[in-house]
Amino acid sequence: MSTALVILAAGKGTRMKSDLPKVLHSIAQTPMLVHAMRAGASLSPARTVIVAGHGAEAVEKTAKAEDESAIVVRQTEQLGTAHAVAQAREALAGFDGDVIVLYGDTPFIEPDTLRRMIDARASHDLVMLGFDIAEVQPRYGRLIMDGDRLEKIVEYKDATEEQRAIRFTNSGLLACNAALLFDLIDQVSNENASGEYYLTEIVSLANARGLSATAIKCAESETLGVDSRADLAAADAEFQARARADLLDVGVTLMAPDTVYLAADTVIGRDTVIEPNVVFGPGVTVESGATIRAFSHLEGCHVSRGAIVGPYARLRPGTELAENTRIGNFVEIKNAEIAEGAKVNHLSYIGDASVGAATNIGAGTITCNYDGVMKHRTTIGQNVFVGSNTMLVAPVTVGDGAMTATGTVVTRDVEPDALAVARAKQDNKPGYARKLFDMLKAKKARRDKGA
Ligand code: UD1
Ligand code: MG
C-alpha cells in the first residue's frame, strides 16, 4: 500500500510575533517544516503535498529545496484544519493509497510512530495519533475513547469540564485512505466554538457511517507543538539534549556537552573530541579521531580523520579538510580543499582555493579572491612554504615545492621550486635611529617647556 503525505503549513503562527511564517522558524538551524518533511520522507511517500498559506512563497521555496518533487498547494484563507487538507485534493487526484496528515509545526515526530500509524490502519479505517499530556492544559482536542474505539474528538474550547479533564489528547496527525478522507471532509461543518472546519470532526462522521476509528499513542515529546518563541527555544533545547546524548552514545567526546550547539544533520565519528563552545551549522561531517577545539564555528564542511581544528577557527561552506590537517586560531576557510597534512595555523583567510599536501601556510596569509566584482581561485601545490603575510592575488597558482617570501604580494604564477619575493628591498642606515631619537626628544622638550 503506498502512502502520501499532506503537511499542514498554512497557519500564521500569530503568537510567534514574526514576519516569517511559523513553519520556517528553525530548530537546530533547520526549518520546522523540513524536520516534518524528513520524518515523513522515511515512509518513501508516493507524493508529498504541502498546504501553504501565510508566507506561501517562502514556504514553497524551502519545501522545494528540501524535496524538488514536493507539491505545494495554497490555502488562501485559513478556515480550519479540514479545509486545509481539502486543498490537497487535486494534488492527490488518482492516488488511492493512504494519506498521512502531518503538521509543519510538529517537528519531532518519529518515523517509527508514523509506521505504527500505518500498521494500525490494517484493522481500522481511521487512525489518529494521540498522546497523554502530563498536565491538563487549555489546548489540544480530547480523544473520547471506548476501549480502542475512538468515538470522537472534542476541541478544548467545545469540551465539557469532564472532557477537559481527559489527558489523552489529539496530536492532529492521522492516517486514512485518500478517497475516504476527502469524502469525510466534504461533510465537515463549521458549527463550533471557533467557526472553523475542524479536521477532527471526521472521527464522528466515520463512526456515524459504521466505520472504525482508533487512536494510537506516542510520547508527548514527539508531538510537542511550537506556538511561541518560548516553545521554539524549548524545542531547540530538547533537540540539542537528544542530539548530544546520541553523539556521546556513538563514542564522541564532548568535553562540555551543554556548550556544543548542533545542527539537525551534524555527523561526527567516534573518538572525535569536541572541546567546549563549538557551533555546528548545517551540513557538517567530521570523521573519526578528529579534534575540534574550543570556540570554533563550522558549517557546510567536511573534516577528515586526525584533523585538528581551532581553537577559534571558522570553517565555512565548501571547506574540505583531508586527513591530519591543522587549522589553527583565527583562521577562516571557505570553499577550499586542504590536502593531507597541510597546515594553516594562524590568522589566515583561505577562500576559493586548493592547498596541496604537506604545504605550510604562514601566519597572516590571505587569498585575495575577490576583485570587487568576481571571485577567483588560488591553487597552491604540494610541499609549498607560504611565508607569513603573503597576499595571493587570485587567480594565481603556486607550483609544488615553491616558497613565497614573507610579506610577498603574489600577482603572477610561481613555478614549481621557485622562490617568489615581491617586497621593497631593505636598506639599513647606520646611526640613523639614534639621530632620529635625539631629534624627537629635543622636539618634545621644546614643546613641554612652551606648554
Ligand atoms: C489542532 C487540533 C487539535 C489538536 C492540536 C494539536 C483541529 C480542529 N484541532 O488544534 O485537536 O490537539 O491541533 O496541536 O484540528 N492549519 C492550516 N490551515 C488552517 C488551520 C490550520 O494549514 O486553516 C495548520 C496550522 O498551520 C498548523 C496545523 O494546521 O500547522 C494545526 O493548526 P492549529 O491552528 O495550530 O490547530 P490547533 O488549534 O492547535
Ligand atoms: Mg496548534
Side-chain angles (χ1 to χ4, degrees), residues 293-296 308-314 326-332 344-348 363-364:
R293 305 199 57 199
F295 297 100
S296 294
I308 301 177
V309 174
Y312 300 97
R314 177 160 184 222
R326 297 280 180 275
I327 306 300
N329 42 235
F330 309 110
V331 171
E332 173 181 346
V344 191
N345 269 332
H346 328 270
L347 296 156
S348 290

Side-chain angles (χ1 to χ4, degrees), residues 119-347:
D119 292 346
R121 267 276 298 126
S123 37
H124 298 276
D125 297 301
L126 174 59
V127 177
M128 302 293 307
L129 179 67
F131 61 105
D132 286 325
I133 37 173
E135 279 168 47
V136 171
Q137 41 178 308
R139 62 200 268 205
Y140 302 126
R142 277 19 183 191
L143 297 166
I144 315 293
M145 303 294 291
D146 176 13
D148 78 339
R149 198 174 73 83
L150 174 61
E151 258 178 38
K152 58 178 173 179
I153 303 178
V154 186
E155 287 307 299
Y156 185 86
K157 278 189 192 167
D158 303 298
T160 62
E161 275 314 306
E162 204 183 320
Q163 289 167 333
R164 286 180 176 182
I166 295 173
R167 285 174 190 255
F168 192 30
T169 59
N170 180 29
S171 73
L173 278 59
L174 66 84
C176 183
N177 167 268
L180 174 60
L181 177 64
F182 291 116
D183 199 22
L184 290 169
I185 281 175
D186 280 340
Q187 279 184 270
V188 170
S189 73
N190 63 351
E191 282 147 29
N192 52 55
S194 312
E196 288 183 7
Y197 294 91
Y198 287 167
L199 183 57
T200 45
E201 199 185 316
I202 66 171
V203 175
S204 24
L205 291 170
N207 278 307
R209 290 191 193 185
L211 300 169
S212 83
T214 194
I216 65 162
K217 201 172 280 192
C218 70
E220 186 172 9
S221 57
E222 272 185 66
T223 52
L224 199 98
V226 172
D227 286 326
S228 64
R229 304 274 180 163
D231 285 351
L232 187 71
D236 206 327
E238 173 134 351
F239 178 92
Q240 297 296 331
R242 240 183 291 162
R244 291 170 191 138
D246 288 348
L247 286 178
L248 295 171
D249 212 42
V250 299
V252 174
T253 293
L254 303 179
M255 286 169 59
D258 290 351
T259 69
V260 175
Y261 190 79
L262 302 159
D265 60 355
T266 305
V267 177
I268 305 178
R270 63 186 281 175
D271 285 326
T272 279
V273 175
I274 311 291
E275 291 189 2
N277 297 300
V278 174
V279 174
F280 290 90
V284 178
T285 50
V286 181
E287 290 180 12
S288 302
T291 303
I292 312 296
R293 305 199 57 199
F295 297 100
S296 294
H297 188 286
L298 294 80
E299 60 184 317
C301 63
H302 177 76
V303 177
S304 300
R305 185 181 289 271
I308 301 177
V309 174
Y312 300 97
R314 177 160 184 222
L315 303 184
R316 292 174 51 205
T319 296
E320 287 279 340
L321 302 187
E323 291 187 13
N324 302 316
T325 44
R326 297 280 180 275
I327 306 300
N329 42 235
F330 309 110
V331 171
E332 173 181 346
I333 304 202
K334 182 214 74 171
N335 190 28
E337 302 88 51
I338 312 296
E340 193 171 343
K343 294 178 182 152
V344 191
N345 269 332
H346 328 270
L347 296 156

